[in-house]
Amino acid sequence: MGNLFCESLKIKYPILQGGMAWVSEANLAASVSNAGGFGTIAAANAPATWLEEQINKTKKLTSKPFGVNVMMMSPYTEEIFDLLVKNSVDVVTTGAGNPAKYIQRLKEVGTKVIPVISSVALAKRMEKNGAFAVVAEGCESGGHIGELTTMVLVPQVVDSVQIPVIAAGGIGDRRGVRAAFELGASGVQVGTRFVCSTECIVHQKYKEMIISAKDRDAVVTGRFTGVPVRAIKNKLSIRLEKMEKEKVSLEEFEKFTVGSLRLAVQNGDVENGAFMAGQIAGLIKEIKTCDEIIKELFE
Ligand code: TUI
């Protein structure tokens, strides 16, 4: 299962840890890499200086390979890519946009680029532009999502490109991993399950929100903005839903969304925070170490 993919990334298990803004930092990335998966640090909306600190910290915590996820809507994208070219990390994954114009520069310093995509068209474009692999992410995921489910997206992407396809969205246990391989994936990317790891630095309330979530509690808001986001239902999501119905302006809507993920991650603000999580939240019942989570997924 996923052997060639593991060999090329020098990992034991074909699993990438999702690049979750403010969640995926040095401790989580290093713990996943130390457990035989592939850890990633999310550059999120942070400046390059923050990312550099996190890269250096991760290198102290693990001797295994790890990567960086670049959120393409960040205002710091240019300086982040400059830093990544200078630091030549093993892998760069990207989300929330098209990284085409940065791929060659990264390849030249030996960095493999793995864009997260939510359509066949973008997967093909990324292959043509030199991507090493793609993560095909279904709308079961948390955070910013596309339209298609993992079940329909993954096999269509697999049939459209030659490069490895990593499945993401809705994978939280061994059954999900097996299903992903059955759909033709070479590996999986897992996010929400790792939020509920011992090593994950999010506020305890964030973990509790996921653990107490039921099957329909990870809801989507903000479709009208063009950037739909999935998060655990709470006072904020209910308010946003109401604002959408009332057809408020984008400006008004963003007063409540800007900074809301940090309120969840750092303050555990259960009322005003955006507790981004995937639909698999309903399946997650226990906090475990990254090592236990990976063994549970693969052994
Ligand atoms: O990027 C994600 N998930 C994210 S990013 C994020 S940070 C954020 N927070 C609040 C609002 C907005 C962002 C939280 N979660 N997943 C990967 C992903 N990428 N899903 C969809 C896409 C995507 C969308 C459009 C990839 C490419 C794309 O390209 C558009 C184009 O330019 O062709």
Side-chain angles (χ1 to χ4, degrees), residues 2-36:
N3 268 341
L4 272 175
F5 182 72
C6 284
E7 271 172 41
S8 51
L9 290 195
K10 302 190 181 71
I11 48 179
K12 186 167 176 202
Y13 302 101
I15 179 169
L16 308 187
Q17 163 246 319
M20 299 168 283
W22 308 118
V23 176
S24 306
E25 46 65 73
N27 292 291
L28 185 60
S31 302
V32 170
S33 289
N34 282 333

Side-chain angles (χ1 to χ4, degrees), residues 1 13-16 170-178 181 188-191 193-194 280 283 288 290-299:
M1 261 188 355
Y13 302 101
I15 179 169
L16 308 187
I171 302 168
D173 70 3
R174 197 188 316 238
R175 293 168 294 183
V177 172
R178 285 197 191 153
F181 282 102
V188 295
Q189 178 185 274
V190 168
R193 184 66 192 93
F194 284 122
I280 204 67
L283 195 86
K288 295 187 174 178
C290 291
D291 193 64
E292 287 168 338
I293 291 171
I294 292 180
K295 294 229 162 74
E296 194 176 79
L297 289 167
F298 288 95
E299 287 185 354

Side-chain angles (χ1 to χ4, degrees), residues 21 71 73 95-98 116 118 122 125 137 142-144 146 227 229 276:
M71 209 277 284
M73 286 174 3
N98 181 346
V116 179
S118 49
L122 196 57
R125 216 180 312 155
E137 187 182 278
H144 172 35
V227 187
V229 167
M276 295 184 188

Side-chain angles (χ1 to χ4, degrees), residues 27-85:
N27 292 291
L28 185 60
S31 302
V32 170
S33 289
N34 282 333
F38 197 89
T40 67
I41 303 163
N45 270 320
T49 47
W50 179 86
L51 180 62
E52 194 167 25
E53 283 166 24
Q54 293 297 317
I55 292 173
N56 291 334
K57 191 171 171 193
T58 310
K59 282 180 179 164
K60 288 199 185 105
L61 296 170
T62 185
S63 55
K64 300 271 168 59
F66 65 92
V68 169
N69 171 269
V70 182
M71 209 277 284
M72 298 302 296
M73 286 174 3
S74 162
Y76 300 104
T77 307
E78 288 296 330
E79 63 175 65
I80 293 285
F81 279 111
D82 287 343
L83 174 77
L84 292 172
V85 168

